[in-house]
Amino acid sequence: MVNQPELLQFPTDYPIKVVGRPSDEFRARVHAIVLRHVPLLDAERVTERLSKNGNFLSISCVIRAESREQVVALATDLKACEGVLMIL
């Protein structure tokens, strides 16, 4: 396997968006997972948006990613989270 150069230089600001059905439980699960991987997340860097018809909630975070492994672990846990429909 050829060693490929990193596309991102760490640490870096890294945006992530999680989409699911709106509920307090969904919101709490996503926030708990993000805080597990990014304990010093600035609350001002988290936004929520309800879809036009109110069927979906997107939670967007801009994290300060320290490594590729951190981003991969966060995405893996979010994918396994109950209620998560999409991660961008």
Side-chain angles (χ1 to χ4, degrees):
M1 183 169 153
V2 177
N3 223 359
Q4 303 244 344
E6 287 286 330
L7 296 175
L8 297 174
Q9 297 296 316
F10 293 96
T12 189
D13 286 343
Y14 189 88
I16 190 160
K17 181 183 287 193
V18 184
V19 179
R21 300 284 182 190
S23 73
D24 290 338
E25 295 81 19
F26 170 70
R27 183 180 288 112
R29 284 192 294 270
V30 169
H31 285 294
I33 291 169
V34 172
L35 287 174
R36 188 175 333 129
H37 292 277
V38 189
L40 300 177
L41 179 65
D42 182 351
E44 292 185 11
R45 301 188 92 188
V46 179
T47 58
E48 295 183 3
R49 183 166 183 237
L50 205 54
S51 66
K52 183 178 178 180
N53 295 326
N55 295 324
F56 302 99
L57 174 67
S58 66
I59 301 172
S60 299
C61 306
V62 179
I63 68 167
R64 187 69 179 163
E66 299 297 328
S67 68
R68 178 182 184 281
E69 293 76 19
Q70 178 190 26
V71 172
V72 169
L74 172 58
T76 299
D77 283 356
L78 286 170
K79 285 179 194 174
C81 178
E82 181 183 340
V84 170
L85 301 174
M86 187 182 337
I87 302 170
L88 305 169

